[in-house]
């Protein structure tokens, strides 16, 4: 089984709809992240969480919100989706106790299309 | 703020040959980590190799090695004995440790041909 899972893997929605992307991990990591990837660009950080009670905005948080329901679960919400939020979304995890390397491991991604 | 630059949008290499992908970065932090991730057509982001800035020795992982030039802020990836399965987008990324956030370059698309 995959260590980091994302649901759904693909989603098509309409402008104005609320949508939630979910991420679960079995790696036992304390840190979780949400990234967005647009064509021709690298990944950009939306939100990150160092533990259940610590959530922080990334570089492109406008239009998004997150919830850390448990150490293993981190969800991303688009309250009112718009077409320029069409992108590939990745969840990632890392372990703060890894001697400082803090390597991030990624889920398989969710392809979101907003019509 | 930190930046990562990959100046080669696309590269091609023949199977069994060696190819080097370039990456330069900028940060004012003294403690940081550098990574190469691979994204095949399956779109999964896969860790290829990582380098701690305080280590002088270049990291190696099987056919993958890096040339880390700290003073020049350069971090290139060498792929030896290229295989068809190496065809992918390759992203260079920087983590400055204290904030634990990855900054990515725009990627290099590598095509391995017969």
């Amino acid at each position: 089984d995959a260590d980091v899972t994302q649901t759904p893997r693909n989603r098509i929605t309409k402008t104005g709809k609320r949508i939630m992307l979910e991420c679960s991990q079995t790696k036992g990591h304390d840190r979780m992240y949400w990234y967005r990837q647009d064509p021709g660009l690298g990944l950009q950080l939306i939100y990150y969480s160092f533990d259940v009670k610590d959530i922080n905005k990334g570089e492109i948080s406008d239009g998004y919100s997150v919830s850390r329901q448990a150490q293993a679960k981190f969800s991303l919400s688009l309250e009112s989706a718009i077409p320029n939020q069409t992108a590939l979304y990745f969840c990632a995890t890392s372990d703060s106790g890894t001697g400082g390397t803090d390597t991030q491991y990624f889920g398989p991604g969710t392809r979101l299309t907003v019509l | 703020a930190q930046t990562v630059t990959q100046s080669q949008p696309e590269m091609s290499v023949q199977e069994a040959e060696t190819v080097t992908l370039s990456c330069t970065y900028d940060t004012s932090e003294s403690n940081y980590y550098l990574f190469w991730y691979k994204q095949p057509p399956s779109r999964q982001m896969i860790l290829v190799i990582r380098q701690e800035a305080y280590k002088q020795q270049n990291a190696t992982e099987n056919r993958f090695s890096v040339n880390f030039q700290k003073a020049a802020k350069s971090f290139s990836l060498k792929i030896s004995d290229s295989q068809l399965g190496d065809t992918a987008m390759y992203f260079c990324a920087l983590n400055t440790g204290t904030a634990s956030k990855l900054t990515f370059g725009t990627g290099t698309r590598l095509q391995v041909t017969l």
Side-chain angles (χ1 to χ4, degrees):
Chain A
D1 288 340
D3 295 319
V4 185
T5 58
Q6 293 183 234
T7 56
R9 294 294 310 278
N10 295 281
R11 180 72 183 267
I12 300 173
T13 191
K14 295 182 178 180
T15 298
K17 293 291 188 181
R18 183 179 188 276
I19 185 167
M20 179 182 289
L21 308 183
E22 298 184 332
C23 177
S24 295
Q25 54 113 347
T26 58
K27 299 181 76 68
H29 289 174
D30 53 339
R31 297 180 172 185
M32 298 186 73
Y33 311 79
W34 275 104
Y35 290 89
R36 166 180 169 158
Q37 184 181 26
D38 294 285
L41 298 178
L43 277 66
Q44 296 175 281
L45 183 63
I46 306 173
Y47 270 95
Y48 61 104
S49 171
F50 284 175
D51 65 38
V52 175
K53 296 182 180 180
D54 181 12
I55 293 178
N56 305 279
K57 293 182 178 180
E59 354 170 34
I60 56 164
S61 59
D62 287 348
Y64 302 94
S65 63
V66 292
S67 174
R68 185 84 182 264
Q69 300 94 327
Q71 186 183 37
K73 295 184 182 295
F74 192 36
S75 60
L76 175 72
S77 294
L78 288 68
E79 296 301 326
S80 179
I82 57 177
N84 75 1
Q85 291 178 314
T86 292
L88 186 56
Y89 290 85
F90 284 100
C91 174
T93 73
S94 70
D95 181 4
S96 63
T98 51
T101 305
D102 212 13
T103 299
Q104 294 186 21
Y105 297 91
F106 287 80
T110 294
R111 171 80 64 191
L112 176 66
T113 302
V114 183
L115 301 175
Chain B
Q2 51 255 19
T3 60
V4 177
T5 302
Q6 294 180 251
S7 59
Q8 304 155 315
E10 295 185 1
M11 294 192 72
S12 181
V13 63
Q14 286 192 321
E15 198 177 21
E17 297 296 308
T18 296
V19 64
T20 299
L21 309 183
S22 301
C23 172
T24 58
Y25 62 93
D26 191 27
T27 179
S28 58
E29 299 282 343
S30 58
N31 182 30
Y32 55 89
Y33 307 89
L34 292 157
F35 303 84
W36 279 97
Y37 284 89
K38 167 185 176 180
Q39 187 178 38
S42 66
R43 80 191 188 198
Q44 177 81 45
M45 292 291 287
I46 302 166
L47 178 68
V48 175
I49 198 165
R50 63 186 169 208
Q51 173 80 43
E52 291 89 343
Y54 63 86
K55 290 187 176 179
Q56 293 185 338
Q57 186 173 8
N58 289 325
T60 62
E61 286 288 342
N62 300 313
R63 298 183 295 107
F64 299 88
S65 62
V66 298
N67 183 5
F68 174 47
Q69 301 291 326
K70 191 171 183 178
K73 294 184 177 177
S74 172
F75 182 61
S76 60
L77 174 69
K78 185 172 81 171
I79 306 174
S80 303
D81 186 26
S82 297
Q83 300 175 359
L84 295 176
D86 295 333
T87 293
M89 281 287 286
Y90 286 82
F91 291 96
C92 179
L94 167 68
N95 182 339
T96 56
T98 52
S100 192
K101 294 180 287 183
L102 279 175
T103 300
F104 285 85
T106 53
T108 296
R109 185 175 302 280
L110 176 67
Q111 181 71 46
V112 180
T113 60
L114 292 171

